[in-house]
Amino acid sequence: MALRTIREMGDEVLTKKCREIKEVTPRIKELIGDMLETMYEANGVGLAAPQVGILKRLVVIDIGEGPIVLINPVILETDGSQTGEEGCLSLPGKSGVVTRPNYVKVRAFDENMQEFEAEGTELLARAFCHEIDHLDGHMYVEKVEGELHDVVYEEDEEE
Ligand code: ZN
């Protein structure tokens, strides 16, 4: 596995619509591993393939409960709403307030192209929406209420 370069806002690849994955080839398997490694290294909770320059419908998420790999994800159902801070690895050092559904149900395929459904509330619901938006070329900044602001990093924090 290897770290991939995270593309930042302004890069055209982040504005494009991604193509469906038809088959999990060894290259896709490698991409999934690399995306997970890249996401963990950057302390992110989610990463979409276009963020590493690949226009395929693939997302990885880990909100601290283990990795979730979503191939060709679609949102089936949403409910409620939540308003809170959101950030993106493609816009480091910034965050903004975004309103999202508080419950989201998705259907996707796993690494073995087995179809599954997953449900999330709060942070996971937010991550599903944020990452799936990336697959259609959308960034959270389009939905920010008010201004983006700077994130204060706590660099010396002990793990
Ligand atoms: Zn993002």
Side-chain angles (χ1 to χ4, degrees):
M1 289 197 293
L3 291 177
R4 305 249 178 159
T5 304
I6 298 177
R7 305 299 183 91
E8 296 190 359
M9 205 170 85
D11 191 319
E12 267 209 340
V13 77
L14 294 171
T15 67
K16 303 243 163 91
K17 201 169 158 67
C18 296
R19 290 178 299 271
E20 290 211 335
I21 291 173
K22 294 197 173 72
E23 186 191 357
V24 178
T25 59
R27 276 177 76 116
I28 297 284
K29 279 229 158 89
E30 191 185 345
L31 174 64
I32 292 168
D34 288 356
M35 282 174 60
L36 283 166
E37 196 179 341
T38 304
M39 174 183 75
Y40 290 129
E41 172 72 20
N43 292 312
V45 298
L47 191 68
Q51 291 182 277
V52 294
I54 308 287
L55 289 171
K56 291 192 188 300
R57 304 191 77 82
L58 166 63
V59 159
V60 296
I61 291 172
D62 191 340
I63 60 159
E65 297 173 352
I68 305 173
V69 175
L70 301 165
I71 293 172
N72 305 335
V74 289
I75 292 175
L76 296 179
E77 225 180 288
T78 65
D79 193 28
S81 83
Q82 56 173 323
T83 299
E85 289 291 327
E86 198 161 314
C88 180
L89 294 177
S90 293
L91 192 54
K94 299 282 182 191
S95 75
V97 172
V98 182
T99 297
R100 300 281 193 185
N102 197 48
Y103 165 87
V104 175
K105 184 187 205 177
V106 296
R107 184 179 60 216
F109 295 86
D110 67 12
E111 289 167 86
N112 302 310
M113 281 312 258
Q114 296 298 306
E115 197 174 31
F116 70 101
E117 289 182 1
E119 297 175 301
T121 58
E122 299 173 8
L123 179 57
L124 185 54
R126 181 177 290 283
F128 283 150
C129 295
H130 177 117
E131 301 309 332
I132 292 171
D133 274 354
H134 274 300
L135 303 181
D136 292 313
H138 296 297
M139 294 272 296
Y140 81 96
V141 295
E142 299 162 32
K143 298 189 163 91
V144 163
E145 296 154 31
E147 300 288 311
L148 283 175
H149 40 262
D150 294 329
V151 177
V152 179
Y153 288 106
E154 293 174 55
E155 297 278 359
D156 300 323
E157 205 173 34
E158 295 287 323
E159 291 283 314

